[in-house]
Amino acid sequence: GVLVANGLPLSECAKVVSDTLTEMTLVHGHVHGDPHAGNIYIVGERRPVGLLRGLTGGGAVRPACVVLDHGLYYSIDTTKREDLCFLYLACIARDGREMERLSRRCAGPIHRVFPLLLSPWFVLGTSLTSEDIQAARQNKLPPSVSSKDVGDAMTAAHAMGSSGSGGDIVAILHSFGYVRGLLTLLECGERARLKS
């Protein structure tokens, strides 16, 4: 579409969006509460390269991310932010013990499925059974989880945020879900998203 027609490769656009929003959350602790396509713009930015440095008007056009609507942000404290970073690393390394420990710290009662909410690729290393995974494929609750468990988990997750214990995990998942949707529109695969 428009991005490619203006010399902006989709892969570079996806990378700048993913890098920007991931950095905001995992480095700075600021979670954008509404990062949909109307609030995240990609613009072409001319950047000097090679011998053209310092000359006006030269250089390659690269995508830049413009983030709008700063009225709804969530802040996560350093401990929660670092736990999320270490959890991503544990998931990538498939360190089941560390995944469980950090998932419990980050998500409390939803710790068993929390890595999957971050990325479906993180199923490896979790304590989920084949029945749990099959149920998920069918958009059903795992056999070991009741509707009451889900309600209790969501209540506890909201309470974790409102109690000042390190950030509302539901808000973080909401934001990450929007970002995943944006990256899907930019034809960005899960591998590229996780590299951010």
Side-chain angles (χ1 to χ4, degrees), residues 111-142:
H111 72 274
R112 284 186 63 233
V113 297
F114 188 63
L116 292 177
L117 298 175
L118 298 176
S119 172
W121 282 23
F122 295 157
V123 69
L124 303 172
T126 66
S127 62
L128 297 176
T129 66
S130 60
E131 291 83 16
D132 293 337
I133 295 167
Q134 185 61 29
R137 282 182 149 181
Q138 297 170 357
N139 293 321
K140 296 179 182 176
L141 288 176

Side-chain angles (χ1 to χ4, degrees), residues 65-132:
C65 184
V66 177
V67 180
L68 303 175
D69 192 0
H70 301 284
L72 184 58
Y73 272 89
Y74 300 94
S75 293
I76 54 176
D77 67 22
T78 301
T79 301
K80 177 72 68 164
R81 184 182 55 75
E82 289 175 349
D83 283 348
L84 277 170
C85 290
F86 288 127
L87 177 59
Y88 267 99
L89 294 174
C91 289
I92 290 166
R94 298 181 186 158
D95 182 344
R97 186 181 315 236
E98 191 67 356
M99 287 170 67
E100 182 171 350
R101 184 184 76 77
L102 289 165
S103 290
R104 282 183 188 276
R105 283 179 55 117
C106 289
I110 60 172
H111 72 274
R112 284 186 63 233
V113 297
F114 188 63
L116 292 177
L117 298 175
L118 298 176
S119 172
W121 282 23
F122 295 157
V123 69
L124 303 172
T126 66
S127 62
L128 297 176
T129 66
S130 60
E131 291 83 16
D132 293 337

Side-chain angles (χ1 to χ4, degrees), residues 174-192:
H174 172 85
S175 182
F176 284 2
Y178 264 127
V179 172
R180 183 177 286 129
L182 287 172
L183 296 177
T184 298
L185 290 173
L186 293 170
E187 300 175 10
C188 177
E190 193 67 4
R191 178 184 305 270

